């Protein structure tokens, strides 16, 4: 069964998506160019990564043939017998998405005004227009690999179905096309941050160097360090990996794919 959730842009559809999906036993959510299955992004590219609003609309409608093919193939693999929630700004948009992805037309249609209060819709519009915030109905840990370098915030959603209370995590992202602007951070700054963090750990001597590798889904940090004599090297290097990943991700919003550490010198 296909369920449609319809509402104007910025009225809180994606915020309500996890609740509506749970209440309608929908394991699959199609939202803004993404196919989300059991809280994981399994196909697609988010419209929120596009640089213009026009490009974002095309992405949400799966206008790119390769994008649409990827989504169709994944849906054929996972969708048999499962309910699907399709989110759009109008009935025509939802129908077009369904046709493009070879899905049945909606059996059930819900409107944001039916499930959200006037105050909730007003709040959602304020967050969109004044702060440029958008919600993605998937956990931050899952989303960050697709939005490396974007400002992400986890958002807990609570709701009840009968006597059972549910807790779900959604993610708030500020996309590139937000009129509020964007920030950049140089490779050198990230390398210095990583090296400073490593040098701050007991057992790591001053000096060394950091080299950054950039990928679409995140970064790889390569560290060459001087170590002090008297520490267990394997434990120390593991600690460096954990601490550098934690600090760099916290300070930069980049997704750290891997931290490689090499002990170049042993200082006695």
């Amino acid at each position: 069964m296909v369920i449609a959730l319809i509402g104007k842009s910025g009225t809180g559809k994606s915020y309500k998506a996890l609740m509506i999906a749970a209440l309608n036993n929908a394991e699959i959510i199609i939202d803004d160019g993404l196919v989300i299955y059991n809280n994981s992004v399994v196909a697609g590219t988010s419209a929120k990564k596009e640089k213009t609003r026009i490009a974002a609309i095309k992405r949400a409608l799966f206008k790119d043939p390769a994008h649409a093919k990827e989504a169709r193939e994944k849906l054929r693999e996972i969708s048999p017998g499962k309910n699907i929630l399709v989110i759009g700004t109008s009935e025509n948009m939802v129908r077009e998405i369904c046709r493009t992805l070879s899905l049945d037309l909606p059996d059930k249609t819900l409107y944001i005004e039916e499930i959200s209060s006037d105050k909730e819709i007003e709040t959602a519009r304020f967050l969109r227009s004044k702060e440029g915030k958008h919600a993605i109905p998937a956990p931050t840990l899952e989303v960050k690999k697709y939005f490396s370098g974007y400002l992400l915030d986890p958002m807990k959603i609570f709701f009840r179905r009968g006597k059972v209370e549910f807790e779900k995590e959604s993610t708030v992202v500020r996309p590139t096309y937000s009129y509020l602007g964007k920030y950049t951070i140089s490779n050198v700054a990230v390398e210095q941050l990583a090296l400073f963090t490593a040098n701050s750990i007991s057992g790591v001597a001053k000096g060394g160097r950091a080299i950054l590798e950039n990928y679409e889904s995140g970064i790889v940090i390569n560290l060459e360090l001087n170590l002090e004599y008297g520490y267990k090297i394997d434990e120390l290097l593991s600690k460096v990996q954990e601490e550098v990943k934690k600090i760099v991700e916290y300070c930069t919003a980049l997704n750290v794919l891997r931290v490689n550490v090499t002990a170049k010198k042993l200082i006695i």
Side-chain angles (χ1 to χ4, degrees), residues 228-246:
E228 296 176 359
Y229 179 76
Y231 291 83
K232 292 184 177 180
I233 293 179
D234 55 345
E235 293 180 4
L236 179 56
L237 297 186
S238 293
K239 184 177 180 181
V240 169
Q241 287 178 311
E242 293 173 6
E243 193 68 13
V244 168
K245 176 178 171 65
K246 181 179 74 173

Side-chain angles (χ1 to χ4, degrees), residues 215-231:
Y215 299 93
E216 185 177 356
S217 58
I219 61 172
V220 172
I221 302 171
N222 299 293
L223 290 168
E224 297 178 356
L225 302 176
N226 303 322
L227 304 184
E228 296 176 359
Y229 179 76
Y231 291 83

Side-chain angles (χ1 to χ4, degrees), residues 10 20 30 86 91 116 150 195 198 210 212 216 220 237 262 266:
I20 297 304
I30 297 174
V86 182
E91 293 180 23
S116 295
Y150 286 65
L195 188 58
L212 205 67
E216 185 177 356
V220 172
L237 297 186
T262 302
L266 187 62

Side-chain angles (χ1 to χ4, degrees), residues 187 190-196 198 207-215 219-225 240-241 244-245 248 256-264:
N187 281 5
V190 179
E191 289 167 351
Q192 289 178 341
L193 175 62
L195 188 58
F196 176 82
R209 68 171 182 165
I211 302 171
L212 205 67
E213 298 176 24
N214 290 285
Y215 299 93
I219 61 172
V220 172
I221 302 171
N222 299 293
L223 290 168
E224 297 178 356
L225 302 176
V240 169
Q241 287 178 311
V244 168
K245 176 178 171 65
V248 170
V256 178
L257 300 170
R258 192 168 64 254
V259 179
N260 300 320
V261 187
T262 302
K264 297 293 287 185

Side-chain angles (χ1 to χ4, degrees), residues 38-59:
N38 283 340
N39 286 339
S40 295
V41 178
V42 295
T45 302
S46 177
K48 294 172 175 59
K49 292 193 72 174
E50 298 296 338
K51 295 181 179 179
T52 67
R53 294 184 186 278
I54 296 299
I57 292 170
K58 290 181 178 179
R59 179 64 64 183

Side-chain angles (χ1 to χ4, degrees), residues 4 23 28 39 115 143 177 190:
L23 294 176
I28 302 168
N39 286 339
I115 59 176
V143 169
Y177 59 77
V190 179

Side-chain angles (χ1 to χ4, degrees), residues 37-212:
Y37 175 52
N38 283 340
N39 286 339
S40 295
V41 178
V42 295
T45 302
S46 177
K48 294 172 175 59
K49 292 193 72 174
E50 298 296 338
K51 295 181 179 179
T52 67
R53 294 184 186 278
I54 296 299
I57 292 170
K58 290 181 178 179
R59 179 64 64 183
L61 288 168
F62 295 88
K63 288 293 187 181
D64 178 69
H67 182 212
K69 181 182 178 182
E70 178 198 3
R72 278 195 302 270
E73 290 178 349
K74 179 56 68 172
L75 286 168
R76 277 198 295 268
E77 176 187 330
I78 65 175
S79 66
K82 297 181 175 67
N83 292 345
I84 302 173
L85 177 64
V86 182
I87 301 174
T89 58
S90 68
E91 293 180 23
N92 285 337
M93 178 179 181
V94 170
R95 284 196 290 267
E96 185 170 348
I97 291 172
C98 289
R99 283 192 290 265
T100 300
L101 299 184
S102 302
L103 299 174
D104 294 334
L105 294 180
D107 303 278
K108 179 179 181 180
T109 300
L110 300 170
Y111 297 90
I112 193 67
E113 292 81 6
E114 298 173 338
I115 59 176
S116 295
S117 66
D118 291 342
K119 185 176 181 180
E120 287 177 318
I121 293 174
E122 182 182 349
T123 300
R125 281 176 168 155
F126 174 83
L127 292 173
R128 175 66 60 87
S129 63
K130 300 299 182 182
E131 299 185 18
K133 292 182 176 180
H134 297 240
I136 297 176
T140 303
L141 187 64
E142 172 68 20
V143 169
K144 73 173 186 175
K145 58 189 175 184
Y146 299 94
F147 286 87
S148 179
Y150 286 65
L151 297 174
L152 303 177
D153 291 302
M155 176 174 57
K156 296 294 184 182
I157 297 173
F158 301 91
F159 59 93
R160 286 182 175 274
R161 184 167 63 184
K163 295 183 178 180
V164 181
E165 184 173 286
F166 293 84
E167 176 185 338
K168 299 281 187 177
E169 182 183 307
S170 189
T171 303
V172 176
V173 58
R174 198 184 80 188
T176 303
Y177 59 77
S178 168
Y179 71 91
L180 296 174
K182 59 183 178 180
Y183 75 94
T184 58
I185 183 167
S186 71
N187 281 5
V188 173
V190 179
E191 289 167 351
Q192 289 178 341
L193 175 62
L195 188 58
F196 176 82
T197 302
N199 287 161
S200 300
I201 296 172
S202 297
V204 179
K206 298 302 179 184
R209 68 171 182 165
I211 302 171
L212 205 67

